[in-house]
Amino acid sequence: MDSMDWANLPFGYMKTDYNVRSYFKDGKWSTPEATDSEQITLHMAATCLHYGQEAFEGLKAFRGKDGKIRIFRMRENALRMISSCEGILMEKLPIEIFEESVIKAVKMNERFIPPYESGSSLYIRPLLIGTSAQVGVKPAQEYLFVVFVTPVGPYFKDGFKPTPIVILRSYDRAAPLGTGTIKVGGNYAASLVAGKKAQELGYSAVLYLDAKEKKYLDECGPANFFGIKDNTYITPKSSSILPSITNKSLMQLAEDMGMKVERRQIEEDELATFEEAGECGTAAVITPIERIDDIEENKSYVFTKNGEAGPVCTKLYNKLRAIQYGDEPDKYNWVTVLD
Ligand SMILES: *Cc1c(COP(=O)(O)O)cnc(C)c1O
């Protein structure tokens, strides 16, 4: 792997040596086993193909300066996958199977974990699907859990740069009492049209408003939203936001840095009072927001001066990355160090 250009990897799929699979059949999960096949053979009536019984996760492994491999907050992802299973009536994947599969997939693809200096990491994608045949609308009897990995580049190749995002009032990502709080593929299918429209208009993402009143901020497609003002980290509370593990981590770090942390409803107009704003998620940790345009209402909220990320976003970003790479102490036991 010496010939790999580790610092310039895209955020995309690259074939690695193995993926790890466990099957639920006859009431039990099989021991996770590795395969070198990239294919899955499925029954054409599998519930994942017709009725959207699919959930996924996303987490990362990092190579430290000491050469050790660190996986960030794996237990949180295992717990969130259980809540996704409950949300769409899939067989609950045991935490032990989740963790064993993730560790195995990382270890068996060790040669794909980027070196510390590159700023790249190994993205881990667990997914769970209903596999048995069903034509009536009912949950499957059988399930397949797969974990594959792929090396990904540093999200900010040209530095930590703020991007513009847009409010598109004619689209919703999730219903107030729907599946917004769980990590299922269906939510993503539902967000593709708005996402494409935003890209065409020159924005990097959509900031959704609450679907019922179009009054409060919800989240940004695949990332949670937060704003900073008066030494306070503020993130929306709603019944349709996916609980981001990055956001949860940033709330803790903000508190440790002496900031106040608020999770509450945020009316759109309050955007005008924020000193900084960002989106957060595993892929980028934080994407600072340059400005938010509410195009239908002809409003625009700007958060940056001369296109630079603000001091709080930068500090939070550096702090979280330092914990992930093992440069700073892991005082909350967020990191699993592999031996
Ligand atoms: C995965 C995801 C996030 C980010 O969650 P992290 O755990 O921080 O990666 C945010 N919003 C949605 C809708 C997601 O699916």
Side-chain angles (χ1 to χ4, degrees):
M1 303 305 286
D2 290 344
S3 59
M4 281 264 271
D5 186 3
W6 292 112
N8 290 298
L9 295 168
F11 191 87
Y13 178 78
M14 179 195 289
K15 186 182 186 320
T16 56
D17 291 335
Y18 300 100
N19 60 86
V20 176
R21 303 180 185 192
S22 172
Y23 296 86
F24 181 82
K25 206 180 167 185
D26 301 327
K28 54 179 195 290
W29 290 95
S30 67
T31 304
E33 284 191 41
T35 169
D36 61 4
S37 171
E38 291 173 281
Q39 312 297 326
I40 292 171
T41 304
L42 271 183
H43 194 290
M44 61 188 174
T47 62
C48 63
L49 298 177
H50 301 258
Y51 302 131
Q53 273 201 306
E54 189 274 350
F56 67 99
E57 275 301 327
L59 62 165
K60 281 178 171 176
F62 303 85
R63 171 94 61 188
K65 210 182 271 181
D66 54 9
K68 287 190 180 144
I69 303 161
R70 291 172 170 78
I71 307 176
F72 189 67
R73 304 201 78 169
M74 171 170 64
R75 174 63 56 107
E76 292 290 326
N77 293 91
L79 292 169
R80 192 168 65 186
M81 181 155 262
I82 291 174
S83 102
S84 296
C85 291
E86 289 166 345
I88 53 171
L89 283 186
M90 298 202 288
E91 183 62 31
K92 273 181 270 181
L93 185 83
I95 294 176
E96 307 77 58
I97 301 269
F98 186 98
E99 295 191 339
E100 185 184 334
S101 305
V102 166
I103 290 171
K104 194 164 179 157
V106 171
K107 282 189 173 164
M108 291 189 79
N109 292 295
E110 184 172 351
R111 70 190 187 98
F112 292 94
I113 306 174
Y116 172 78
E117 296 72 28
S118 65
S120 299
S121 57
L122 188 74
Y123 184 74
I124 305 163
R125 168 52 58 84
L127 65 122
L128 179 67
I129 53 176
T131 51
S132 54
Q134 204 73 261
V135 177
V137 182
K138 270 195 244 122
Q141 303 288 316
E142 295 174 9
Y143 293 85
L144 166 61
F145 176 62
V146 182
V147 178
F148 70 79
V149 300
T150 191
V152 294
Y155 210 84
F156 299 102
K157 285 195 194 59
D158 319 309
F160 186 50
K161 279 273 174 280
T163 67
I165 66 174
V166 67
I167 292 171
L168 296 174
R169 290 171 170 269
S170 35
Y171 299 92
D172 292 318
R173 185 191 79 91
L177 302 174
T179 54
T181 53
I182 56 174
K183 205 165 178 78
V184 296
N187 292 339
Y188 279 76
S191 71
L192 290 175
V193 173
K196 177 161 173 258
K197 176 132 195 226
Q199 298 279 336
E200 284 167 0
L201 293 169
Y203 297 96
S204 67
V206 178
L207 174 60
Y208 290 93
L209 299 180
D210 78 287
K212 194 171 172 186
E213 295 184 76
K214 297 280 175 186
K215 186 171 167 193
Y216 302 103
L217 305 184
D218 218 68
E219 66 168 317
C220 307
N224 278 184
F225 173 87
F226 66 87
I228 305 289
K229 70 170 174 188
D230 306 329
N231 198 36
T232 308
Y233 179 104
I234 308 164
T235 193
K237 183 173 175 156
S238 122
S239 60
S240 50
I241 292 178
L242 190 281
S244 154
I245 296 161
T246 311
N247 197 7
K248 190 171 173 183
S249 308
L250 293 173
M251 285 189 253
Q252 181 64 59
L253 297 179
E255 202 179 297
D256 293 353
M257 282 162 37
M259 298 178 71
K260 264 198 291 177
V261 173
E262 293 174 4
R263 197 171 146 261
R264 58 167 169 81
Q265 287 189 311
I266 304 174
E267 284 188 33
E268 182 188 322
D269 291 346
E270 194 180 344
L271 285 173
T273 67
F274 289 150
E275 297 148 18
E276 296 180 40
E279 313 169 41
C280 61
T282 294
V285 177
I286 291 174
T287 305
I289 298 172
E290 180 203 326
R291 64 170 206 283
I292 298 171
D293 292 344
D294 180 345
I295 48 179
E296 280 107 329
E297 297 281 304
N298 244 318
K299 288 181 186 160
S300 190
Y301 309 91
V302 180
F303 308 101
T304 52
K305 296 183 195 79
N306 38 24
E308 298 295 325
V312 178
C313 282
T314 306
K315 206 168 154 190
L316 285 168
Y317 174 78
N318 289 334
K319 183 87 187 170
L320 187 55
R321 297 254 304 172
I323 295 169
Q324 291 175 328
Y325 282 94
D327 294 334
E328 285 204 25
D330 171 30
K331 72 178 200 197
Y332 297 107
N333 270 315
W334 286 345
V335 174
T336 304
V337 184
L338 302 189
D339 36 49

